[in-house]
Amino acid sequence: MSVREHDLREIRDAVAKLCATFPMEYWRETDRERRYPTEFVRALTQAGWLSCLIPEEYGGAGLPLAAAAAVLEEIQKSGANGAACHAQMYTMGTVLRHCSEAQKKKYLPKIAKGELRLQAFGITEPSAGTDTSSIRTTAVRKGDRYVVNGQKVWTSRAEHSDIMLLLARTASREDVQKKTDGMSVFIVDMKVALGKGLTIRPIRTMINHATTEIFIDNLEVPAENLVGEEGKGFRYILDGMNAERILIGAECVGDARWFIAKASAYATERKVFGRPIGQNQGVQFPIARAYMAAEAAALMVERAAVLYDAGKPCGPESNMAKQLAAEASWQAGDMCLQTHGGFGFAEEYDVERKFRETRLYQIAPISTNLVLCYLAEHVLGLPRSY
């Protein structure tokens, strides 16, 4: 199903109206208390936005990634924080393309109805970081089950998810020809596993991101929960990772547009020395530069989403979309804080909260340096640097 621009406008308008029912004080409170925005996530679920990528035969809307990007961009543009629930969208890249029909029938209708949450993606490990091929979590087949042992970190929303996609090694790195072989993806029932081999420990961070570390000790996972073929998991998660980069890029564009609107309004209203500060070019120019960067990043996000929806290779575009948008949002955030001066540090203006939130995407879901390494090697043909 293609989405025309007027369809996206309708989606944006509907999401904006929903977000307007959650005032900025709601987000200040959740940030202050480090509380998961359950009410907001529930509202998005009931409105069908978190299931927009799920095909209609499983109870979703069957929309393409471009529509999901519009949803998340609008959430951020409203001043809210889509990080509380965006994984339910980007994990669909792995689920829809690689799960069996039986798995889709079992989980997708319940996810679409809001009976299940798929908010956790267990990939990163303390000793491996972004070197995914070096993960040490293992899954050993024993009869009709796999026994999993290992540790994950930065597994966000694990405490608020019913099921998780977990990446583990089913063959050691030394026993495979390519270091990315021998990894498999599993669907883990969090409620069943908790206390029976799965331990979740929250990590308190500078933003309200509900992130955790996970300890796995002889956790038994039914063999039927293996996604696709054993040993092919790295290729499967790439579909999720490309979707993740595009959607995070859309969120960053939304953040940038929030910062730009906020700064423009303040610069028009705030008067110093008898005139609006926005009349000064020293204030105008950074806002204008941030606007240009945001609009350019938005075009790359759109291009990457079009390629993804067409089933075409989009690794370079999805990486560039994420990086350009993350840089644009950070540029806009810094500009907005500078425009507000001391008031930018006051909680009631929301700038400091959004400033902290958008900084994350210089690091996650992939660091700036790895994006540059990827482009240098795979696009520009330069020698591999790592």
Side-chain angles (χ1 to χ4, degrees):
M1 176 180 178
S2 62
V3 175
R4 299 179 299 277
E5 184 54 39
H6 77 269
D7 294 323
L8 290 182
R9 285 200 300 271
E10 292 173 3
I11 290 172
R12 293 179 191 277
D13 290 344
V15 173
K17 289 178 182 178
L18 186 153
C19 290
T21 64
F22 292 86
M24 290 300 96
E25 180 54 33
Y26 172 82
W27 294 103
R28 291 174 209 143
E29 288 179 0
T30 56
D31 180 67
R32 192 183 306 130
E33 300 168 7
R34 293 296 192 265
R35 176 167 59 86
Y36 187 74
T38 301
E39 303 84 0
F40 179 69
V41 175
R42 184 184 299 122
L44 284 174
T45 302
Q46 292 174 347
W49 296 121
L50 293 189
S51 61
C52 67
L53 294 177
I54 296 176
E56 292 181 89
E57 60 263 36
Y58 303 111
L63 297 177
L65 195 71
V71 170
L72 290 174
E73 181 191 322
E74 205 62 42
I75 289 172
Q76 301 303 114
K77 185 181 173 184
S78 76
N81 188 2
C85 49
H86 57 198
Q88 195 144 302
M89 294 185 178
Y90 64 67
T91 50
M92 288 298 117
T94 298
V95 172
L96 296 179
R97 295 187 177 188
H98 304 292
C99 277
S100 67
E101 186 62 27
Q103 289 170 337
K104 292 177 185 178
K105 287 181 178 179
K106 180 178 181 179
Y107 295 109
L108 290 180
K110 292 182 179 180
I111 293 172
K113 290 178 183 178
E115 295 174 6
L116 287 178
R117 281 185 188 165
L118 172 54
Q119 290 288 358
F121 212 5
I123 297 178
T124 307
E125 297 185 5
S127 61
T130 48
D131 182 8
T132 304
S133 66
S134 294
I135 64 169
R136 297 178 180 178
T137 297
T138 60
V140 179
R141 180 73 181 259
K142 293 188 176 181
D144 61 352
R145 294 183 173 271
Y146 284 87
V147 178
V148 186
N149 285 279
Q151 181 183 355
K152 298 293 180 178
V153 71
W154 309 124
T155 307
S156 300
R157 299 160 302 275
E159 295 178 290
H160 307 281
S161 296
D162 297 299
I163 52 178
M164 169 179 66
L165 293 185
L166 177 72
L167 184 69
R169 276 212 165 271
T170 44
S172 69
R173 184 167 167 167
E174 294 73 24
D175 293 335
V176 293
Q177 288 186 331
K178 292 177 60 179
K179 63 182 182 180
T180 53
D181 288 342
M183 291 183 279
S184 302
V185 176
F186 298 89
I187 300 171
V188 176
D189 187 324
M190 304 284 279
K191 304 304 180 185
V192 172
L194 197 60
K196 298 179 181 178
L198 181 70
T199 302
I200 302 173
R201 183 180 299 168
I203 302 174
R204 188 173 176 87
T205 63
M206 69 183 286
I207 56 175
N208 183 28
H209 201 66
T211 198
T212 71
E213 55 184 335
I214 293 177
F215 301 90
I216 307 169
D217 183 20
N218 290 324
L219 174 65
E220 294 187 355
V221 177
E224 64 188 31
N225 285 23
L226 172 70
V227 174
E229 295 181 48
E230 185 178 292
K232 304 294 184 182
F234 184 78
R235 180 166 58 87
Y236 300 160
I237 65 167
L238 286 180
D239 282 325
M241 287 180 171
N242 283 334
E244 180 184 42
R245 285 154 173 63
I246 295 167
L247 293 177
I248 294 297
E251 288 188 56
C252 289
V253 169
D255 275 343
R257 286 174 169 163
W258 184 89
F259 284 124
I260 292 164
K262 188 82 170 177
S264 297
Y266 185 79
T268 301
E269 297 166 2
R270 174 67 167 165
K271 292 184 179 180
V272 179
F273 299 113
R275 67 183 202 169
I277 62 172
Q279 194 171 338
N280 301 311
Q281 291 179 344
V283 175
Q284 288 181 353
F285 288 1
I287 299 175
R289 286 186 178 279
Y291 175 78
M292 288 192 293
E295 293 304 302
L299 290 174
M300 182 55 73
V301 171
E302 179 183 350
R303 179 180 176 186
V306 167
L307 290 172
Y308 185 94
D309 287 329
K312 297 180 180 179
C314 62
E317 289 78 11
S318 63
N319 276 281
M320 288 188 288
K322 178 267 172 186
Q323 189 57 42
L324 291 172
E327 290 176 355
S329 69
W330 181 240
Q331 177 184 349
D334 187 60
M335 171 277 297
C336 188
L337 186 61
Q338 192 72 19
T339 300
H340 281 73
F343 288 110
F345 290 89
E347 183 186 69
E348 65 183 286
Y349 282 79
D350 299 295
V351 176
E352 60 86 25
R353 172 178 61 85
K354 294 288 286 182
F355 181 82
R356 286 183 282 113
E357 290 171 355
T358 208
R359 180 60 178 85
L360 171 66
Y361 299 118
Q362 293 287 311
I363 300 169
I366 183 173
S367 71
T368 297
N369 288 347
L370 277 184
V371 169
L372 297 176
C373 286
Y374 174 87
L375 294 173
E377 178 187 351
H378 296 284
V379 178
L380 301 176
L382 295 170
R384 186 181 179 90
S385 64
Y386 61 95

Short mmCIF file of all heavy atoms in Angstrom, two decimals, residues 299-334:
data_model
loop_
_atom_site.label_atom_id
_atom_site.label_comp_id
_atom_site.label_asym_id
_atom_site.label_seq_id
_atom_site.Cartn_x
_atom_site.Cartn_y
_atom_site.Cartn_z
N LEU A 299 14.61 15.05 4.00
CA LEU A 299 14.62 14.49 2.64
C LEU A 299 15.34 13.14 2.61
O LEU A 299 14.92 12.22 1.90
CB LEU A 299 15.28 15.47 1.68
CG LEU A 299 14.50 16.76 1.37
CD1 LEU A 299 15.33 17.70 0.53
CD2 LEU A 299 13.18 16.43 0.67
N MET A 300 16.42 13.00 3.37
CA MET A 300 17.14 11.73 3.40
C MET A 300 16.32 10.66 4.11
O MET A 300 16.31 9.49 3.69
CB MET A 300 18.50 11.91 4.07
CG MET A 300 19.34 10.63 4.10
SD MET A 300 19.62 9.89 2.46
CE MET A 300 20.78 11.06 1.76
N VAL A 301 15.62 11.03 5.16
CA VAL A 301 14.75 10.07 5.84
C VAL A 301 13.66 9.59 4.88
O VAL A 301 13.37 8.40 4.79
CB VAL A 301 14.11 10.71 7.09
CG1 VAL A 301 13.04 9.80 7.68
CG2 VAL A 301 15.17 11.00 8.16
N GLU A 302 13.08 10.52 4.14
CA GLU A 302 12.05 10.16 3.18
C GLU A 302 12.59 9.23 2.10
O GLU A 302 11.95 8.23 1.74
CB GLU A 302 11.49 11.43 2.54
CG GLU A 302 10.41 11.18 1.49
CD GLU A 302 9.92 12.45 0.83
OE1 GLU A 302 10.28 13.56 1.29
OE2 GLU A 302 9.19 12.35 -0.17
N ARG A 303 13.77 9.53 1.60
CA ARG A 303 14.39 8.70 0.56
C ARG A 303 14.65 7.29 1.08
O ARG A 303 14.38 6.30 0.39
CB ARG A 303 15.69 9.34 0.10
CG ARG A 303 16.43 8.54 -0.96
CD ARG A 303 17.72 9.25 -1.37
NE ARG A 303 18.50 8.46 -2.30
CZ ARG A 303 19.72 8.80 -2.72
NH1 ARG A 303 20.26 9.93 -2.30
NH2 ARG A 303 20.37 8.04 -3.58
N ALA A 304 15.19 7.19 2.28
CA ALA A 304 15.48 5.87 2.86
C ALA A 304 14.20 5.07 3.06
O ALA A 304 14.17 3.85 2.80
CB ALA A 304 16.21 6.04 4.19
N ALA A 305 13.15 5.71 3.51
CA ALA A 305 11.87 5.02 3.73
C ALA A 305 11.28 4.52 2.42
O ALA A 305 10.72 3.41 2.37
CB ALA A 305 10.89 5.96 4.44
N VAL A 306 11.40 5.30 1.37
CA VAL A 306 10.89 4.89 0.06
C VAL A 306 11.62 3.64 -0.41
O VAL A 306 10.99 2.68 -0.91
CB VAL A 306 11.04 6.03 -0.97
CG1 VAL A 306 10.81 5.51 -2.39
CG2 VAL A 306 10.06 7.15 -0.66
N LEU A 307 12.92 3.60 -0.28
CA LEU A 307 13.71 2.43 -0.68
C LEU A 307 13.34 1.22 0.17
O LEU A 307 13.17 0.11 -0.35
CB LEU A 307 15.20 2.73 -0.56
CG LEU A 307 15.79 3.72 -1.56
CD1 LEU A 307 17.23 4.05 -1.20
CD2 LEU A 307 15.72 3.16 -2.98
N TYR A 308 13.22 1.42 1.47
CA TYR A 308 12.86 0.31 2.37
C TYR A 308 11.50 -0.26 1.99
O TYR A 308 11.34 -1.49 1.90
CB TYR A 308 12.84 0.80 3.82
CG TYR A 308 12.60 -0.31 4.82
CD1 TYR A 308 13.67 -0.97 5.43
CD2 TYR A 308 11.31 -0.71 5.16
CE1 TYR A 308 13.46 -1.99 6.34
CE2 TYR A 308 11.10 -1.73 6.06
CZ TYR A 308 12.16 -2.36 6.66
OH TYR A 308 11.95 -3.38 7.56
N ASP A 309 10.53 0.60 1.76
CA ASP A 309 9.19 0.14 1.43
C ASP A 309 9.13 -0.57 0.08
O ASP A 309 8.27 -1.42 -0.16
CB ASP A 309 8.21 1.32 1.45
CG ASP A 309 7.90 1.79 2.87
OD1 ASP A 309 7.91 0.95 3.79
OD2 ASP A 309 7.62 2.99 3.05
N ALA A 310 10.06 -0.21 -0.80
CA ALA A 310 10.12 -0.85 -2.11
C ALA A 310 10.90 -2.16 -2.07
O ALA A 310 11.02 -2.85 -3.09
CB ALA A 310 10.75 0.10 -3.13
N GLY A 311 11.43 -2.51 -0.90
CA GLY A 311 12.19 -3.74 -0.77
C GLY A 311 13.57 -3.66 -1.39
O GLY A 311 14.20 -4.70 -1.67
N LYS A 312 14.07 -2.45 -1.58
CA LYS A 312 15.39 -2.26 -2.19
C LYS A 312 16.45 -2.07 -1.12
O LYS A 312 16.14 -1.68 0.00
CB LYS A 312 15.35 -1.05 -3.12
CG LYS A 312 14.40 -1.21 -4.30
CD LYS A 312 14.42 0.03 -5.18
CE LYS A 312 13.47 -0.12 -6.36
NZ LYS A 312 13.46 1.10 -7.22
N PRO A 313 17.72 -2.34 -1.45
CA PRO A 313 18.80 -2.11 -0.48
C PRO A 313 18.81 -0.65 -0.03
O PRO A 313 18.67 0.26 -0.85
CB PRO A 313 20.07 -2.45 -1.28
CG PRO A 313 19.60 -3.39 -2.35
CD PRO A 313 18.22 -2.93 -2.73
N CYS A 314 18.95 -0.44 1.27
CA CYS A 314 18.88 0.93 1.77
C CYS A 314 19.85 1.15 2.93
O CYS A 314 19.64 2.07 3.74
CB CYS A 314 17.46 1.28 2.20
SG CYS A 314 16.82 0.25 3.55
N GLY A 315 20.89 0.31 3.02
CA GLY A 315 21.85 0.46 4.10
C GLY A 315 22.49 1.85 4.15
O GLY A 315 22.46 2.50 5.19
N PRO A 316 23.07 2.32 3.03
CA PRO A 316 23.67 3.66 3.07
C PRO A 316 22.67 4.75 3.40
O PRO A 316 22.94 5.64 4.21
CB PRO A 316 24.22 3.83 1.64
CG PRO A 316 24.45 2.44 1.16
CD PRO A 316 23.33 1.63 1.75
N GLU A 317 21.49 4.67 2.79
CA GLU A 317 20.49 5.72 3.00
C GLU A 317 19.95 5.73 4.43
O GLU A 317 19.75 6.79 5.02
CB GLU A 317 19.33 5.54 2.00
CG GLU A 317 19.68 5.87 0.57
CD GLU A 317 20.46 4.75 -0.13
OE1 GLU A 317 20.55 3.63 0.43
OE2 GLU A 317 20.97 4.99 -1.24
N SER A 318 19.72 4.53 4.99
CA SER A 318 19.20 4.49 6.36
C SER A 318 20.23 4.99 7.36
O SER A 318 19.89 5.69 8.32
CB SER A 318 18.74 3.07 6.71
OG SER A 318 19.80 2.15 6.69
N ASN A 319 21.50 4.68 7.12
CA ASN A 319 22.55 5.18 8.00
C ASN A 319 22.71 6.69 7.87
O ASN A 319 22.86 7.40 8.87
CB ASN A 319 23.88 4.48 7.69
CG ASN A 319 24.02 3.15 8.40
OD1 ASN A 319 24.33 3.10 9.59
ND2 ASN A 319 23.76 2.06 7.69
N MET A 320 22.68 7.18 6.64
CA MET A 320 22.79 8.63 6.44
C MET A 320 21.59 9.36 7.01
O MET A 320 21.72 10.45 7.58
CB MET A 320 22.97 8.95 4.95
CG MET A 320 24.34 8.59 4.41
SD MET A 320 24.64 9.19 2.72
CE MET A 320 23.56 8.10 1.78
N ALA A 321 20.42 8.76 6.87
CA ALA A 321 19.21 9.39 7.40
C ALA A 321 19.31 9.55 8.91
O ALA A 321 19.03 10.62 9.47
CB ALA A 321 17.99 8.54 7.05
N LYS A 322 19.74 8.49 9.57
CA LYS A 322 19.87 8.56 11.02
C LYS A 322 20.91 9.59 11.42
O LYS A 322 20.68 10.42 12.32
CB LYS A 322 20.24 7.17 11.57
CG LYS A 322 20.45 7.13 13.09
CD LYS A 322 21.89 7.36 13.46
CE LYS A 322 22.08 7.53 14.96
NZ LYS A 322 23.47 7.89 15.30
N GLN A 323 22.06 9.59 10.78
CA GLN A 323 23.14 10.47 11.19
C GLN A 323 22.83 11.93 10.90
O GLN A 323 23.05 12.81 11.74
CB GLN A 323 24.44 10.07 10.50
CG GLN A 323 25.65 10.80 11.04
CD GLN A 323 25.82 10.60 12.54
OE1 GLN A 323 25.64 9.49 13.05
NE2 GLN A 323 26.13 11.67 13.25
N LEU A 324 22.36 12.21 9.69
CA LEU A 324 22.05 13.60 9.34
C LEU A 324 20.94 14.16 10.22
O LEU A 324 20.99 15.32 10.65
CB LEU A 324 21.65 13.69 7.86
CG LEU A 324 22.77 13.44 6.85
CD1 LEU A 324 22.21 13.36 5.45
CD2 LEU A 324 23.83 14.53 6.94
N ALA A 325 19.96 13.33 10.51
CA ALA A 325 18.85 13.79 11.35
C ALA A 325 19.30 13.98 12.79
O ALA A 325 18.89 14.94 13.47
CB ALA A 325 17.69 12.80 11.28
N ALA A 326 20.14 13.07 13.29
CA ALA A 326 20.65 13.21 14.66
C ALA A 326 21.49 14.48 14.80
O ALA A 326 21.39 15.19 15.81
CB ALA A 326 21.48 11.99 15.04
N GLU A 327 22.29 14.77 13.78
CA GLU A 327 23.10 15.99 13.82
C GLU A 327 22.22 17.23 13.73
O GLU A 327 22.46 18.24 14.41
CB GLU A 327 24.12 15.98 12.69
CG GLU A 327 25.22 14.95 12.89
CD GLU A 327 26.19 14.87 11.72
OE1 GLU A 327 25.94 15.56 10.70
OE2 GLU A 327 27.19 14.13 11.82
N ALA A 328 21.16 17.15 12.92
CA ALA A 328 20.25 18.30 12.78
C ALA A 328 19.50 18.56 14.08
O ALA A 328 19.31 19.71 14.49
CB ALA A 328 19.26 18.05 11.64
N SER A 329 19.07 17.49 14.74
CA SER A 329 18.31 17.67 15.99
C SER A 329 19.20 18.23 17.09
O SER A 329 18.78 19.05 17.90
CB SER A 329 17.66 16.36 16.43
OG SER A 329 18.62 15.41 16.86
N TRP A 330 20.46 17.76 17.12
CA TRP A 330 21.38 18.27 18.14
C TRP A 330 21.74 19.73 17.86
O TRP A 330 21.81 20.56 18.79
CB TRP A 330 22.63 17.40 18.18
CG TRP A 330 23.63 17.83 19.20
CD1 TRP A 330 24.92 18.21 18.98
CD2 TRP A 330 23.43 17.94 20.61
NE1 TRP A 330 25.53 18.53 20.16
CE2 TRP A 330 24.65 18.38 21.19
CE3 TRP A 330 22.35 17.69 21.46
CZ2 TRP A 330 24.81 18.60 22.55
CZ3 TRP A 330 22.50 17.90 22.82
CH2 TRP A 330 23.71 18.34 23.35
N GLN A 331 21.94 20.06 16.59
CA GLN A 331 22.21 21.45 16.22
C GLN A 331 21.03 22.34 16.62
O GLN A 331 21.22 23.43 17.19
CB GLN A 331 22.44 21.55 14.71
CG GLN A 331 22.66 22.97 14.19
CD GLN A 331 22.79 23.03 12.67
OE1 GLN A 331 22.93 22.01 12.00
NE2 GLN A 331 22.74 24.23 12.11
N ALA A 332 19.83 21.85 16.34
CA ALA A 332 18.63 22.63 16.68
C ALA A 332 18.45 22.73 18.19
O ALA A 332 18.04 23.78 18.71
CB ALA A 332 17.40 21.99 16.04
N GLY A 333 18.76 21.66 18.91
CA GLY A 333 18.64 21.68 20.36
C GLY A 333 19.60 22.66 20.99
O GLY A 333 19.23 23.42 21.91
N ASP A 334 20.84 22.65 20.53
CA ASP A 334 21.84 23.57 21.06
C ASP A 334 21.44 25.01 20.75
O ASP A 334 21.56 25.90 21.61
CB ASP A 334 23.20 23.24 20.44
CG ASP A 334 24.33 24.03 21.07
OD1 ASP A 334 24.53 23.90 22.30
OD2 ASP A 334 24.99 24.79 20.35
#
